[in-house]
Amino acid sequence: MEKLKSTLPNILLSLTVICLAAGAALSAANHYTEDAIAASKAAELQNAIKNVTPDFDNNPTDEQYKVAVADNDSLTVYPARMGDKTVGYAVESRSGNGFSGQIRVMVGFDAEGKLFNYSVLEHSETPGLGSKMEDWFRQDRNRQNIIGHSMAEKSLRVVKDGGEIDAITAATISSRAFLEAINLAYAAYSGSTDAVSGASLIN
């Protein structure tokens, strides 16, 4: 078989064939993995909700709804029910005011509006400083623990801002952003932006 000459048309033809073959392979791979990826993401979301709410027997993602909180934006709320009784809500919240950008959290409230638990979904804060938010605000030391806080009484703020919560050592900016996300979650839970005084949502 005669070898193709290295002419410009032949080179373009070869590149075209290679690109089409690569594109077809990527398309096929995406088709066969998209269901598995979607299922994995759904399981992760369900686990995040489960980690921050009282026990439930419904599927909160089937009953999710959006609530406007600030700047024409909204947060997703997931109701948790046991039988016919609503036992709590999970709210996916965020703040763009972190030291290194956006912080995303799943925040859970019980039926009385107390903060049941939280889970940090995503952040880029400094390791050993802002990254401590994952555990800092649930530890029973000094004025760190926010679990069980009645959000209807007052929003959460660091001591430096006139609040009652100890900021992460050397990471006040990260602490403010984290608490902003918690406060915004409560605003969505309560259905009122009045629940957060001066809060903002920055993407």
Side-chain angles (χ1 to χ4, degrees), residues 12-203:
L12 292 176
L13 177 61
S14 298
L15 289 175
T16 300
V17 171
I18 291 171
C19 289
L20 288 174
L26 288 173
S27 178
N30 181 66
H31 174 72
Y32 287 114
T33 60
E34 61 182 357
D35 288 344
I37 292 172
S40 176
K41 288 183 178 180
E44 288 178 5
L45 176 59
Q46 193 76 355
N47 286 333
I49 295 170
K50 186 176 181 179
N51 288 337
V52 301
T53 58
D55 291 337
F56 56 84
D57 59 11
N58 69 320
N59 187 347
T61 58
D62 287 344
E63 303 179 42
Q64 64 180 284
Y65 58 90
K66 298 276 190 180
V67 176
V69 287
D71 298 338
N72 297 317
D73 212 324
S74 61
L75 299 182
T76 305
V77 180
Y78 304 93
R81 309 186 198 281
M82 181 64 76
D84 294 331
K85 182 180 179 182
T86 299
V87 295
Y89 294 84
V91 183
E92 191 171 346
S93 185
R94 61 192 182 275
S95 168
N97 293 329
F99 184 78
S100 299
Q102 182 165 265
I103 294 170
R104 292 178 54 243
V105 294
M106 186 70 78
V107 188
F109 303 97
D110 63 20
E112 285 72 46
K114 292 183 179 179
L115 202 159
F116 189 80
N117 204 355
Y118 70 85
S119 177
V120 178
L121 304 177
E122 177 188 359
H123 74 85
S124 301
E125 303 304 278
T126 306
L129 293 175
S131 65
K132 290 183 178 180
M133 72 179 77
E134 296 179 13
D135 297 307
W136 179 275
F137 296 103
R138 59 168 61 96
Q139 294 181 7
D140 286 321
R141 292 189 307 187
N142 303 316
R143 294 172 292 184
Q144 295 176 210
N145 197 345
I146 63 175
I147 304 302
H149 180 81
S150 179
M151 299 295 295
E153 295 177 4
K154 61 176 68 176
S155 59
L156 296 169
R157 299 187 185 283
V158 297
V159 172
K160 193 171 183 179
D161 296 336
E164 300 176 349
I165 308 301
D166 284 340
I168 301 168
T169 305
T172 301
I173 294 175
S174 299
S175 300
R176 283 185 181 127
F178 171 83
L179 294 180
E180 177 188 45
I182 299 291
N183 290 332
L184 282 165
Y186 180 71
Y189 160 86
S190 67
S192 172
T193 53
D194 293 336
V196 183
S197 176
S200 61
L201 183 61
I202 299 177
N203 293 308

